[in-house]
Amino acid sequence: MLIQLSKKDAHTSEIMGADTVALCKMQNFQPRLENEAQSREEANAFGYKAEFAVARLFNVEPPVINVLSDGGVDLWIQDTSIDVKFTNQYDGPLIFDTMPKFRAEIAVLVCRTEDDDIMKVSGWVSRKEFKTSCAKADFGYGARLYMEASDLHPIETLWRFFMERKFGVKE
């Protein structure tokens, strides 16, 4: 599903990306950057854009800057923790460094498109399912756990799950 960010959300994402890097530098902490094709500020901005896209899709509170850590949770949908993962590749994959880094109950993969303000919300997977279905690969910076975007559940099924939980008839 393609999500067009508002100008305000795109702008806020860029400011938050720059602010995050500035906060790290003020604390004499070098932010990790494994992609030499873009700056850390740009990488963070795209991460925030992905989070805004998912927040708007599910009509939940948008992302905020966390000074130390977000604890592996970017958003909350109802009472369920969500980790939004962004990739510069149009079709994934969803990558976690290790299983302990997958702390949320659900991960949602968002991919980059040719338009910097359009995000492709590719799909989702539960932590439990990822643990049993992921594979290992070295993408050039050590072994990581991953699932192909094509193996994720369509985002519409997650939306439906939450809407049925919220508005469905209780038997």
Side-chain angles (χ1 to χ4, degrees), residues 10-169:
H11 174 76
T12 302
S13 296
E14 291 165 11
I15 299 302
M16 290 170 70
D19 285 352
T20 299
V21 173
L23 285 168
C24 288
K25 288 180 180 176
M26 282 187 243
Q27 297 177 24
N28 293 321
F29 175 73
Q30 264 318 100
R32 178 174 90 168
L33 180 62
E34 294 168 341
N35 176 3
E36 296 180 17
Q38 66 186 163
S39 70
R40 187 67 242 175
E41 289 86 352
E42 183 182 22
N44 282 348
F46 274 104
Y48 284 119
K49 286 180 177 188
E51 292 171 18
F52 268 102
V54 175
R56 298 309 184 208
L57 178 62
F58 287 92
N59 196 30
V60 297
E61 292 181 33
V64 297
I65 291 178
N66 299 288
V67 176
L68 294 177
S69 169
D70 62 13
V73 177
D74 297 312
L75 302 170
W76 289 89
I77 301 175
Q78 296 174 16
D79 212 20
T80 302
S81 55
I82 308 293
D83 190 349
V84 177
K85 289 296 199 179
F86 176 78
T87 178
N88 281 306
Q89 298 176 37
Y90 186 76
D91 285 316
L94 171 67
I95 301 172
F96 280 92
D97 292 346
T98 62
M99 274 312 299
K101 297 278 186 167
F102 191 157
R103 296 185 197 129
E105 295 167 75
I106 291 173
V108 174
L109 177 65
V110 178
C111 303
R112 190 170 185 172
T113 68
E114 291 181 11
D115 185 320
D116 289 349
D117 296 335
I118 296 176
M119 300 286 107
K120 179 184 177 191
V121 183
S122 290
W124 70 278
V125 67
S126 71
R127 184 181 196 284
K128 183 178 178 181
E129 186 176 356
F130 183 86
K131 185 175 185 176
T132 60
S133 301
C134 67
K136 274 189 179 178
D138 187 338
F139 297 95
Y141 39 83
R144 302 294 201 274
L145 304 175
Y146 78 98
M147 281 181 73
E148 295 294 343
S150 59
D151 294 330
L152 302 176
H153 300 288
I155 197 64
E156 296 86 353
T157 62
L158 186 61
W159 181 87
R160 182 179 180 132
F161 168 78
F162 284 116
M163 293 306 106
E164 286 178 347
R165 182 196 279 175
K166 185 174 182 178
F167 297 114
V169 176

